[in-house]
Amino acid sequence: VRVGNHVMIAGQVGTNPHVEIGDGAIIAGKSGVSKSVGPGEQASGMPILSLKQWKLMHIFAAQLPERLPKLEKRVKQVE
């Protein structure tokens, strides 16, 4: 594991071997670092996701009720 300068790692964080945590990164508590975290990134979760990935996931989840009828229609067309 390589940890850069000025990194903040909260308690109960596990890491896989051969990952890198870039300079200035912030890792939230009880996270599992399974892949490298870039410089200045904020990341959390198990497996770890960057703050940007978390936001995209929540945006997609919020849009899911609107998209579900269209997806069901496409599935019926394929069947």
Side-chain angles (χ1 to χ4, degrees):
V1 176
R2 182 196 163 279
V3 179
N5 297 317
H6 307 290
V7 172
M8 292 177 21
I9 301 176
Q12 299 180 351
V13 172
T15 60
N16 284 354
H18 309 295
V19 297
E20 293 185 17
I21 301 173
D23 295 337
I26 300 172
I27 310 296
K30 297 184 180 180
S31 297
V33 183
S34 55
K35 58 184 177 181
S36 294
V37 178
E41 282 190 27
Q42 299 175 7
S44 66
M46 179 71 87
I48 199 153
L49 294 174
S50 70
L51 186 61
K52 188 185 295 185
Q53 291 170 319
W54 276 107
K55 287 180 181 178
L56 290 174
M57 186 172 65
H58 285 287
I59 290 169
F60 179 77
Q63 295 174 350
L64 194 57
E66 299 168 7
R67 294 180 177 195
L68 195 57
K70 293 178 185 177
L71 291 172
E72 290 174 342
K73 187 176 179 180
R74 287 182 187 174
V75 169
K76 287 180 183 177
Q77 290 175 351
V78 172
E79 291 176 344

Short mmCIF file of all heavy atoms in Angstrom, two decimals, residues 13-67:
data_model
loop_
_atom_site.label_atom_id
_atom_site.label_comp_id
_atom_site.label_asym_id
_atom_site.label_seq_id
_atom_site.Cartn_x
_atom_site.Cartn_y
_atom_site.Cartn_z
N VAL A 13 -10.64 1.37 8.48
CA VAL A 13 -10.52 1.30 7.02
C VAL A 13 -9.59 0.14 6.68
O VAL A 13 -8.50 0.03 7.22
CB VAL A 13 -9.96 2.63 6.45
CG1 VAL A 13 -9.64 2.48 4.96
CG2 VAL A 13 -10.94 3.75 6.67
N GLY A 14 -10.05 -0.73 5.79
CA GLY A 14 -9.23 -1.83 5.31
C GLY A 14 -8.73 -1.55 3.91
O GLY A 14 -9.36 -0.84 3.15
N THR A 15 -7.57 -2.11 3.58
CA THR A 15 -7.03 -1.92 2.23
C THR A 15 -6.59 -3.25 1.65
O THR A 15 -6.16 -4.15 2.37
CB THR A 15 -5.80 -0.98 2.25
OG1 THR A 15 -4.79 -1.56 3.07
CG2 THR A 15 -6.14 0.39 2.76
N ASN A 16 -6.71 -3.36 0.36
CA ASN A 16 -6.14 -4.48 -0.37
C ASN A 16 -4.67 -4.17 -0.64
O ASN A 16 -4.27 -3.01 -0.68
CB ASN A 16 -6.86 -4.70 -1.69
CG ASN A 16 -8.21 -5.35 -1.51
OD1 ASN A 16 -8.58 -5.76 -0.42
ND2 ASN A 16 -8.96 -5.44 -2.59
N PRO A 17 -3.87 -5.20 -0.85
CA PRO A 17 -2.48 -4.93 -1.19
C PRO A 17 -2.37 -4.26 -2.57
O PRO A 17 -3.24 -4.39 -3.40
CB PRO A 17 -1.83 -6.32 -1.20
CG PRO A 17 -2.93 -7.30 -1.18
CD PRO A 17 -4.17 -6.61 -0.74
N HIS A 18 -1.31 -3.53 -2.77
CA HIS A 18 -0.96 -2.92 -4.05
C HIS A 18 -1.90 -1.79 -4.46
O HIS A 18 -2.01 -1.50 -5.66
CB HIS A 18 -0.88 -3.96 -5.17
CG HIS A 18 -0.01 -5.13 -4.84
ND1 HIS A 18 1.34 -5.01 -4.62
CD2 HIS A 18 -0.31 -6.43 -4.63
CE1 HIS A 18 1.84 -6.19 -4.32
NE2 HIS A 18 0.86 -7.08 -4.30
N VAL A 19 -2.61 -1.15 -3.53
CA VAL A 19 -3.40 0.03 -3.87
C VAL A 19 -2.62 1.27 -3.50
O VAL A 19 -1.74 1.24 -2.66
CB VAL A 19 -4.78 0.05 -3.18
CG1 VAL A 19 -5.63 -1.12 -3.61
CG2 VAL A 19 -4.66 0.11 -1.68
N GLU A 20 -2.95 2.37 -4.17
CA GLU A 20 -2.31 3.65 -3.89
C GLU A 20 -3.37 4.65 -3.48
O GLU A 20 -4.45 4.70 -4.08
CB GLU A 20 -1.57 4.17 -5.12
CG GLU A 20 -0.37 3.33 -5.50
CD GLU A 20 0.42 3.94 -6.65
OE1 GLU A 20 0.25 5.14 -6.93
OE2 GLU A 20 1.21 3.21 -7.26
N ILE A 21 -3.07 5.43 -2.47
CA ILE A 21 -3.94 6.52 -2.03
C ILE A 21 -3.17 7.80 -2.31
O ILE A 21 -2.13 8.05 -1.72
CB ILE A 21 -4.31 6.37 -0.55
CG1 ILE A 21 -5.03 5.03 -0.33
CG2 ILE A 21 -5.18 7.53 -0.10
CD1 ILE A 21 -5.31 4.69 1.11
N GLY A 22 -3.68 8.59 -3.24
CA GLY A 22 -2.97 9.77 -3.72
C GLY A 22 -2.89 10.89 -2.70
O GLY A 22 -3.61 10.92 -1.70
N ASP A 23 -2.03 11.86 -2.98
CA ASP A 23 -1.83 13.01 -2.10
C ASP A 23 -3.14 13.75 -1.87
O ASP A 23 -3.90 14.01 -2.81
CB ASP A 23 -0.83 13.99 -2.72
CG ASP A 23 0.57 13.39 -2.84
OD1 ASP A 23 0.87 12.44 -2.10
OD2 ASP A 23 1.35 13.89 -3.68
N GLY A 24 -3.41 14.09 -0.61
CA GLY A 24 -4.58 14.88 -0.27
C GLY A 24 -5.91 14.15 -0.32
O GLY A 24 -6.96 14.77 -0.22
N ALA A 25 -5.89 12.84 -0.48
CA ALA A 25 -7.14 12.07 -0.54
C ALA A 25 -7.76 11.96 0.85
O ALA A 25 -7.08 12.05 1.86
CB ALA A 25 -6.88 10.68 -1.11
N ILE A 26 -9.08 11.78 0.87
CA ILE A 26 -9.81 11.60 2.12
C ILE A 26 -10.60 10.30 2.02
O ILE A 26 -11.39 10.11 1.09
CB ILE A 26 -10.77 12.78 2.37
CG1 ILE A 26 -9.99 14.09 2.47
CG2 ILE A 26 -11.60 12.54 3.64
CD1 ILE A 26 -10.87 15.32 2.52
N ILE A 27 -10.38 9.40 2.98
CA ILE A 27 -11.06 8.11 3.00
C ILE A 27 -11.98 8.08 4.22
O ILE A 27 -11.53 8.27 5.35
CB ILE A 27 -10.07 6.93 3.08
CG1 ILE A 27 -8.97 7.05 2.01
CG2 ILE A 27 -10.79 5.59 2.99
CD1 ILE A 27 -9.45 6.96 0.59
N ALA A 28 -13.26 7.84 4.01
CA ALA A 28 -14.24 7.81 5.10
C ALA A 28 -14.09 6.54 5.93
O ALA A 28 -13.56 5.53 5.47
CB ALA A 28 -15.65 7.90 4.53
N GLY A 29 -14.59 6.60 7.15
CA GLY A 29 -14.50 5.47 8.07
C GLY A 29 -15.27 4.25 7.60
O GLY A 29 -16.23 4.36 6.85
N LYS A 30 -14.82 3.10 8.03
CA LYS A 30 -15.42 1.80 7.72
C LYS A 30 -15.50 1.54 6.21
O LYS A 30 -16.43 0.92 5.72
CB LYS A 30 -16.81 1.68 8.35
CG LYS A 30 -16.77 1.72 9.86
CD LYS A 30 -18.14 1.49 10.46
CE LYS A 30 -18.06 1.53 11.96
NZ LYS A 30 -19.35 1.33 12.59
N SER A 31 -14.52 2.04 5.47
CA SER A 31 -14.46 1.82 4.02
C SER A 31 -13.49 0.70 3.70
O SER A 31 -12.61 0.38 4.49
CB SER A 31 -14.02 3.11 3.30
OG SER A 31 -14.94 4.13 3.49
N GLY A 32 -13.65 0.13 2.54
CA GLY A 32 -12.73 -0.90 2.06
C GLY A 32 -12.06 -0.42 0.79
O GLY A 32 -12.70 -0.31 -0.25
N VAL A 33 -10.78 -0.11 0.87
CA VAL A 33 -10.05 0.41 -0.29
C VAL A 33 -9.62 -0.78 -1.15
O VAL A 33 -8.61 -1.42 -0.87
CB VAL A 33 -8.84 1.26 0.16
CG1 VAL A 33 -8.14 1.86 -1.06
CG2 VAL A 33 -9.27 2.35 1.11
N SER A 34 -10.41 -1.06 -2.17
CA SER A 34 -10.14 -2.21 -3.04
C SER A 34 -9.46 -1.80 -4.34
O SER A 34 -9.01 -2.65 -5.10
CB SER A 34 -11.44 -2.93 -3.36
OG SER A 34 -12.38 -2.04 -3.91
N LYS A 35 -9.41 -0.49 -4.61
CA LYS A 35 -8.73 0.01 -5.80
C LYS A 35 -8.09 1.34 -5.44
O LYS A 35 -8.43 1.96 -4.42
CB LYS A 35 -9.70 0.16 -6.97
CG LYS A 35 -10.86 1.08 -6.69
CD LYS A 35 -11.83 1.09 -7.85
CE LYS A 35 -13.03 1.98 -7.51
NZ LYS A 35 -13.99 2.00 -8.57
N SER A 36 -7.20 1.79 -6.25
CA SER A 36 -6.46 3.01 -5.96
C SER A 36 -7.38 4.23 -5.93
O SER A 36 -8.36 4.30 -6.66
CB SER A 36 -5.36 3.22 -6.99
OG SER A 36 -4.39 2.20 -6.86
N VAL A 37 -7.03 5.18 -5.07
CA VAL A 37 -7.77 6.43 -4.93
C VAL A 37 -6.85 7.54 -5.40
O VAL A 37 -5.71 7.65 -4.95
CB VAL A 37 -8.18 6.65 -3.46
CG1 VAL A 37 -8.90 7.99 -3.30
CG2 VAL A 37 -9.05 5.51 -2.97
N GLY A 38 -7.33 8.36 -6.32
CA GLY A 38 -6.51 9.41 -6.92
C GLY A 38 -6.24 10.57 -5.99
O GLY A 38 -6.87 10.72 -4.94
N PRO A 39 -5.31 11.43 -6.37
CA PRO A 39 -4.98 12.60 -5.56
C PRO A 39 -6.19 13.52 -5.39
O PRO A 39 -6.91 13.80 -6.33
CB PRO A 39 -3.89 13.31 -6.36
CG PRO A 39 -3.40 12.33 -7.36
CD PRO A 39 -4.50 11.35 -7.58
N GLY A 40 -6.42 13.95 -4.16
CA GLY A 40 -7.50 14.89 -3.87
C GLY A 40 -8.90 14.30 -3.88
O GLY A 40 -9.86 15.03 -3.68
N GLU A 41 -9.05 13.01 -4.12
CA GLU A 41 -10.38 12.40 -4.17
C GLU A 41 -10.92 12.17 -2.77
O GLU A 41 -10.17 11.91 -1.83
CB GLU A 41 -10.35 11.06 -4.91
CG GLU A 41 -10.30 11.18 -6.40
CD GLU A 41 -10.50 9.83 -7.08
OE1 GLU A 41 -11.14 8.95 -6.50
OE2 GLU A 41 -9.99 9.69 -8.18
N GLN A 42 -12.23 12.23 -2.65
CA GLN A 42 -12.93 11.84 -1.43
C GLN A 42 -13.64 10.54 -1.75
O GLN A 42 -14.35 10.45 -2.75
CB GLN A 42 -13.93 12.90 -1.02
CG GLN A 42 -13.31 14.24 -0.73
CD GLN A 42 -14.36 15.29 -0.44
OE1 GLN A 42 -15.53 15.01 -0.34
NE2 GLN A 42 -13.91 16.53 -0.32
N ALA A 43 -13.47 9.53 -0.91
CA ALA A 43 -14.02 8.22 -1.22
C ALA A 43 -14.55 7.55 0.04
O ALA A 43 -14.07 7.80 1.14
CB ALA A 43 -12.97 7.34 -1.90
N SER A 44 -15.55 6.68 -0.15
CA SER A 44 -16.11 5.94 0.97
C SER A 44 -16.82 4.70 0.46
O SER A 44 -17.06 4.55 -0.73
CB SER A 44 -17.08 6.81 1.77
OG SER A 44 -18.21 7.11 0.98
N GLY A 45 -17.18 3.81 1.37
CA GLY A 45 -18.00 2.65 1.04
C GLY A 45 -17.23 1.35 0.97
O GLY A 45 -16.02 1.29 1.15
N MET A 46 -18.00 0.30 0.72
CA MET A 46 -17.44 -1.05 0.62
C MET A 46 -18.11 -1.72 -0.56
O MET A 46 -19.27 -2.10 -0.44
CB MET A 46 -17.71 -1.81 1.91
CG MET A 46 -17.21 -3.22 1.93
SD MET A 46 -15.46 -3.35 2.03
CE MET A 46 -15.20 -3.30 3.78
N PRO A 47 -17.54 -1.86 -1.73
CA PRO A 47 -16.20 -1.40 -2.11
C PRO A 47 -16.18 0.13 -2.24
O PRO A 47 -17.22 0.76 -2.39
CB PRO A 47 -15.96 -2.06 -3.46
CG PRO A 47 -17.31 -2.24 -4.04
CD PRO A 47 -18.22 -2.49 -2.85
N ILE A 48 -15.02 0.67 -2.24
CA ILE A 48 -14.87 2.12 -2.19
C ILE A 48 -15.32 2.77 -3.50
O ILE A 48 -15.10 2.24 -4.58
CB ILE A 48 -13.41 2.49 -1.85
CG1 ILE A 48 -13.37 3.90 -1.35
CG2 ILE A 48 -12.48 2.27 -3.01
CD1 ILE A 48 -12.23 4.17 -0.42
N LEU A 49 -16.01 3.90 -3.36
CA LEU A 49 -16.43 4.71 -4.50
C LEU A 49 -16.04 6.15 -4.23
O LEU A 49 -16.10 6.60 -3.09
CB LEU A 49 -17.95 4.64 -4.70
CG LEU A 49 -18.56 3.31 -5.09
CD1 LEU A 49 -20.07 3.41 -5.09
CD2 LEU A 49 -18.08 2.87 -6.46
N SER A 50 -15.68 6.86 -5.28
CA SER A 50 -15.35 8.27 -5.10
C SER A 50 -16.64 9.05 -4.90
O SER A 50 -17.74 8.58 -5.21
CB SER A 50 -14.59 8.81 -6.31
OG SER A 50 -15.46 8.89 -7.42
N LEU A 51 -16.53 10.25 -4.38
CA LEU A 51 -17.70 11.10 -4.17
C LEU A 51 -18.44 11.33 -5.47
O LEU A 51 -19.66 11.34 -5.51
CB LEU A 51 -17.26 12.42 -3.54
CG LEU A 51 -18.35 13.38 -3.12
CD1 LEU A 51 -19.24 12.74 -2.05
CD2 LEU A 51 -17.76 14.67 -2.59
N LYS A 52 -17.70 11.48 -6.57
CA LYS A 52 -18.31 11.68 -7.88
C LYS A 52 -19.15 10.46 -8.28
O LYS A 52 -20.26 10.60 -8.79
CB LYS A 52 -17.22 11.92 -8.92
CG LYS A 52 -17.73 12.32 -10.28
CD LYS A 52 -16.62 12.44 -11.30
CE LYS A 52 -15.66 13.54 -10.96
NZ LYS A 52 -14.63 13.75 -11.99
N GLN A 53 -18.64 9.25 -8.03
CA GLN A 53 -19.39 8.03 -8.35
C GLN A 53 -20.64 7.91 -7.49
O GLN A 53 -21.68 7.47 -7.97
CB GLN A 53 -18.50 6.81 -8.16
CG GLN A 53 -17.39 6.71 -9.18
CD GLN A 53 -16.39 5.63 -8.84
OE1 GLN A 53 -16.00 5.47 -7.68
NE2 GLN A 53 -15.95 4.89 -9.84
N TRP A 54 -20.54 8.28 -6.19
CA TRP A 54 -21.71 8.25 -5.32
C TRP A 54 -22.80 9.17 -5.85
O TRP A 54 -23.98 8.83 -5.89
CB TRP A 54 -21.34 8.69 -3.90
CG TRP A 54 -20.79 7.61 -3.04
CD1 TRP A 54 -19.49 7.46 -2.65
CD2 TRP A 54 -21.49 6.51 -2.46
NE1 TRP A 54 -19.35 6.34 -1.87
CE2 TRP A 54 -20.57 5.75 -1.73
CE3 TRP A 54 -22.82 6.11 -2.49
CZ2 TRP A 54 -20.93 4.61 -1.03
CZ3 TRP A 54 -23.17 4.98 -1.79
CH2 TRP A 54 -22.24 4.23 -1.08
N LYS A 55 -22.41 10.39 -6.27
CA LYS A 55 -23.39 11.35 -6.79
C LYS A 55 -24.07 10.81 -8.05
O LYS A 55 -25.29 10.92 -8.19
CB LYS A 55 -22.72 12.69 -7.08
CG LYS A 55 -22.38 13.46 -5.83
CD LYS A 55 -21.72 14.78 -6.17
CE LYS A 55 -21.36 15.55 -4.92
NZ LYS A 55 -20.69 16.82 -5.22
N LEU A 56 -23.30 10.24 -8.96
CA LEU A 56 -23.88 9.68 -10.18
C LEU A 56 -24.85 8.55 -9.86
O LEU A 56 -25.91 8.44 -10.47
CB LEU A 56 -22.77 9.19 -11.12
CG LEU A 56 -21.94 10.27 -11.78
CD1 LEU A 56 -20.79 9.63 -12.57
CD2 LEU A 56 -22.79 11.12 -12.70
N MET A 57 -24.49 7.71 -8.89
CA MET A 57 -25.35 6.59 -8.51
C MET A 57 -26.67 7.11 -7.94
O MET A 57 -27.74 6.59 -8.27
CB MET A 57 -24.63 5.72 -7.49
CG MET A 57 -25.38 4.45 -7.14
SD MET A 57 -24.40 3.35 -6.09
CE MET A 57 -24.25 4.31 -4.61
N HIS A 58 -26.63 8.15 -7.12
CA HIS A 58 -27.85 8.70 -6.54
C HIS A 58 -28.71 9.40 -7.59
O HIS A 58 -29.93 9.33 -7.53
CB HIS A 58 -27.52 9.64 -5.39
CG HIS A 58 -27.10 8.91 -4.16
ND1 HIS A 58 -27.97 8.20 -3.37
CD2 HIS A 58 -25.88 8.74 -3.60
CE1 HIS A 58 -27.32 7.65 -2.36
NE2 HIS A 58 -26.04 7.95 -2.49
N ILE A 59 -28.09 10.07 -8.54
CA ILE A 59 -28.85 10.70 -9.63
C ILE A 59 -29.56 9.63 -10.44
O ILE A 59 -30.75 9.76 -10.76
CB ILE A 59 -27.92 11.55 -10.52
CG1 ILE A 59 -27.46 12.79 -9.77
CG2 ILE A 59 -28.60 11.92 -11.83
CD1 ILE A 59 -26.34 13.56 -10.45
N PHE A 60 -28.85 8.54 -10.77
CA PHE A 60 -29.47 7.46 -11.54
C PHE A 60 -30.62 6.83 -10.76
O PHE A 60 -31.68 6.57 -11.30
CB PHE A 60 -28.43 6.39 -11.89
CG PHE A 60 -29.02 5.25 -12.66
CD1 PHE A 60 -29.30 5.38 -14.00
CD2 PHE A 60 -29.32 4.05 -12.03
CE1 PHE A 60 -29.86 4.33 -14.72
CE2 PHE A 60 -29.88 2.99 -12.73
CZ PHE A 60 -30.15 3.15 -14.09
N ALA A 61 -30.42 6.61 -9.45
CA ALA A 61 -31.47 6.01 -8.63
C ALA A 61 -32.70 6.91 -8.56
O ALA A 61 -33.83 6.43 -8.56
CB ALA A 61 -30.94 5.72 -7.23
N ALA A 62 -32.48 8.22 -8.51
CA ALA A 62 -33.61 9.15 -8.46
C ALA A 62 -34.38 9.16 -9.77
O ALA A 62 -35.60 9.37 -9.78
CB ALA A 62 -33.11 10.55 -8.14
N GLN A 63 -33.71 8.92 -10.88
CA GLN A 63 -34.37 8.92 -12.19
C GLN A 63 -34.97 7.58 -12.55
O GLN A 63 -35.70 7.47 -13.52
CB GLN A 63 -33.36 9.32 -13.27
CG GLN A 63 -32.87 10.73 -13.15
CD GLN A 63 -31.78 11.05 -14.15
OE1 GLN A 63 -31.26 10.16 -14.82
NE2 GLN A 63 -31.41 12.32 -14.24
N LEU A 64 -34.69 6.55 -11.76
CA LEU A 64 -35.15 5.21 -12.09
C LEU A 64 -36.67 5.09 -12.23
O LEU A 64 -37.14 4.46 -13.19
CB LEU A 64 -34.62 4.21 -11.07
CG LEU A 64 -34.74 2.74 -11.44
CD1 LEU A 64 -34.03 2.46 -12.77
CD2 LEU A 64 -34.15 1.87 -10.36
N PRO A 65 -37.47 5.66 -11.33
CA PRO A 65 -38.93 5.54 -11.51
C PRO A 65 -39.42 6.11 -12.84
O PRO A 65 -40.37 5.58 -13.43
CB PRO A 65 -39.51 6.33 -10.34
CG PRO A 65 -38.45 6.30 -9.30
CD PRO A 65 -37.15 6.30 -10.06
N GLU A 66 -38.79 7.17 -13.33
CA GLU A 66 -39.17 7.74 -14.62
C GLU A 66 -38.74 6.83 -15.77
O GLU A 66 -39.42 6.74 -16.79
CB GLU A 66 -38.53 9.11 -14.80
CG GLU A 66 -38.93 10.13 -13.76
CD GLU A 66 -38.05 11.37 -13.83
OE1 GLU A 66 -37.22 11.49 -14.75
OE2 GLU A 66 -38.21 12.21 -12.93
N ARG A 67 -37.61 6.17 -15.62
CA ARG A 67 -37.06 5.35 -16.70
C ARG A 67 -37.63 3.94 -16.75
O ARG A 67 -37.55 3.27 -17.77
CB ARG A 67 -35.54 5.25 -16.56
CG ARG A 67 -34.84 6.56 -16.75
CD ARG A 67 -33.36 6.37 -16.61
NE ARG A 67 -32.65 7.62 -16.86
CZ ARG A 67 -31.36 7.70 -17.08
NH1 ARG A 67 -30.63 6.61 -17.05
NH2 ARG A 67 -30.79 8.85 -17.31
#
